[in-house]
């Protein structure tokens, strides 16, 4: 760790603390002894965390209400006295189908917290970590085979979201354009802000692919699960009559590895400053999800769509030789992957833990 003193001397600010990624990051930081300050649109929405997973550490947790992340000054109080900021709060929903409800909010929220950090954080602020996405790196039209790196950028989503054709799309198609557009444009805005303001603290982005892993504190109703977990839930609860189509890369990474990378970047500002960290373990399209679930829960075979077993992914869930791969060498070295037997969490373990978690939380619906 690059910080001076003990973990208990440092407050880490996490925006959107009750989110899927943020709640796990907070939990992992608390287990390491840090103090966590989280923001959420309403303090009540963090109650389940405080009474649940965070209960053993509640004396080291602060929750601040930030009803609107886009307002300049919204984070002025939240940033005071923190050593690192991890900004995860951003609109992510396929119900959002306009530029103003996605891209504008993502940009304004990121710049709002950056300006607060620059103007109101104490000198001990060392790092700002942005939760971006591999969607901000991906170009599905790139000739394959193609290895994406941190130098690659999504060049299509913004243009398509502003095109005449966009208005004729159905809501699902619009959402599939607006999500990568919001991640790309907001991340570019962060790097432009860094170039202009030259802040005294480090800035790093984490760009995970599709996340898989059990939620730390899931919503009371499975219908409120995030997009990735909803696919798993819909599959195990018998709501799908076919295997969903794959995303362009169909790459995945575990929630736990993603949390670890955020924390590493926050604690190692000098090493991570100015870098983007794509995160991916391999390729696992929805067919791979169906295949694993049908194997680990044979009693559910009648409700899980069979699809075409084994199609669209490599043995061991690695990269297809003639397809997309992602260079995660910088993240691998940072997390010590490949050293002392440490490896990325694999697909089958990710799926098993996710299914077990959903069974534990929502068993009455199965």
């Amino acid at each position: 760790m690059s910080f001076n003193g003990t973990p208990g001397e440092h407050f880490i600010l996490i925006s959107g603390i009750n989110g899927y990624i943020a709640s796990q990051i907070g939990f992992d930081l608390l287990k390491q002894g840090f103090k966590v300050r989280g923001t959420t649109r309403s303090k009540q929405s963090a109650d389940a965390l405080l009474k649940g997973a965070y209960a053993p550490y509640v004396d080291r947790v602060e929750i601040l209400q930030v009803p609107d992340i886009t307002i300049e000054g919204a984070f002025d109080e939240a940033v005071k006295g923190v050593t690192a900021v991890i900004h995860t709060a951003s609109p992510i929903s396929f119900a959002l189908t306009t530029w103003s409800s996605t891209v504008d909010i993502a940009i304004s929220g990121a710049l709002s917290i950056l300006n607060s950090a620059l103007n109101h954080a104490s000198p001990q602020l060392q790092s700002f970590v942005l939760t971006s996405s591999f969607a901000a790196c991906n170009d599905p039209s790139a000739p394959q085979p193609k290895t994406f790196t941190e130098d690659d950028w999504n060049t299509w989503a913004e243009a398509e979201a502003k095109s005449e054709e966009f208005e004729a799309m159905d809501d699902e198609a619009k959402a599939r354009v607006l999500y990568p557009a919001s991640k790309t444009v907001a991340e570019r805005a962060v790097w432009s802000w860094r170039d202009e303001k030259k802040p005294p603290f480090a800035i790093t982005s984490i760009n995970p692919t599709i996340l898989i892993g059990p939620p730390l504190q899931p919503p009371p109703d499975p219908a409120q699960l995030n997009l990735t977990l909803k696919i798993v839930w819909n599959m195990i609860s018998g709501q799908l009559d076919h295997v969903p189509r794959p995303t362009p890369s169909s790459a995945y990474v575990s929630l736990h590895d993603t949390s670890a990378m955020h924390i590493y970047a926050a604690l190692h500002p000098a090493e991570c400053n100015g870098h983007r960290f794509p995160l991916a373990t391999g390729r696992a399209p929805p067919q791979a999800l169906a295949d694993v679930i049908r194997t680990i829960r044979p009693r559910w075979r009648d409700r899980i769509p069979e699809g075409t077993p084994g199609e669209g992914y490599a043995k061991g869930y690695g990269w297809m030789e003639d397809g997309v791969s992602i260079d995660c060498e910088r993240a691998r070295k940072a997390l010590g992957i490949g050293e002392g037997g440490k490896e990325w969490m694999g697909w089958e373990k990710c799926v098993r833990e996710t299914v077990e978690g959903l069974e534990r939380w929502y068993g009455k619906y199965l």
Side-chain angles (χ1 to χ4, degrees), residues 68-335:
D68 186 349
I69 66 173
T70 67
I71 296 175
E72 196 65 30
F75 293 95
D76 285 358
E77 288 300 315
V79 300
K80 290 179 179 177
V82 303
T83 312
V85 175
I86 300 176
H87 180 53
T88 76
S90 187
I92 302 175
S93 171
F94 270 23
L96 302 175
T97 58
T98 65
W99 182 275
S100 60
S101 65
T102 53
V103 183
D104 284 345
I105 292 177
I107 297 170
S108 298
L111 296 182
S112 172
I113 194 169
L114 279 168
N115 286 328
S116 289
L118 182 63
N119 297 320
H120 296 278
S122 302
Q124 73 262 26
L125 178 61
Q126 296 189 33
S127 56
F128 178 95
V129 181
L130 173 72
T131 304
S132 185
S133 169
F134 176 69
C137 309
N138 195 22
D139 179 3
S141 67
Q144 298 183 15
K146 163 72 175 176
T147 298
F148 286 93
T149 74
E150 69 172 297
D151 296 323
D152 286 297
W153 280 93
N154 181 315
T155 58
W156 66 272
E158 180 181 3
E160 188 159 339
K162 293 179 177 178
S163 69
E164 293 182 2
E165 291 78 7
F166 178 81
E167 296 305 322
M169 296 179 182
D170 61 32
D171 285 351
E172 181 178 348
K174 286 181 177 178
R176 291 185 181 278
V177 173
L178 286 170
Y179 172 73
S182 70
K183 287 297 187 181
T184 304
V185 178
E187 189 190 336
R188 281 195 180 277
V190 167
W191 293 118
S192 295
W193 183 95
R194 175 179 180 264
D195 292 341
E196 177 187 350
K197 303 292 186 181
K198 297 179 172 51
F201 49 85
I203 294 182
T204 305
S205 75
I206 310 300
N207 299 69
T209 49
I210 296 172
L211 288 166
I212 183 78
L216 184 72
Q217 197 72 43
D221 186 339
Q224 299 172 320
L225 287 166
N226 68 29
L227 297 175
T228 305
L229 293 177
K230 193 173 289 185
I231 293 175
V232 181
W233 172 253
N234 288 345
M235 192 170 284
I236 67 175
S237 59
Q239 298 182 51
L240 299 180
D241 59 6
H242 66 280
V243 175
R245 64 187 178 91
T247 63
S249 72
S250 290
Y252 78 95
V253 66
S254 79
L255 175 63
H256 292 286
D257 288 332
T258 302
S259 172
M261 190 64 246
H262 278 80
I263 293 171
Y264 187 93
L267 302 186
H268 296 82
E271 176 185 342
C272 299
N273 188 24
H275 288 294
R276 308 168 77 207
F277 284 82
L279 296 180
T281 303
R283 175 180 169 86
Q287 182 64 61
L289 176 66
D291 291 349
V292 172
I293 295 175
R294 288 171 63 85
T295 298
I296 66 175
R297 291 294 184 273
R299 66 181 183 275
W300 292 348
R301 278 178 170 260
D302 290 344
R303 73 171 75 157
I304 309 297
E306 183 176 16
T308 306
E311 184 178 75
Y313 63 94
K315 184 178 180 180
Y317 314 99
W319 303 114
M320 306 282 282
E321 289 186 4
D322 57 350
V324 166
S325 60
I326 302 170
D327 181 359
C328 302
E329 183 66 11
R330 190 181 297 277
R332 187 190 66 78
K333 288 182 178 179
L335 297 180

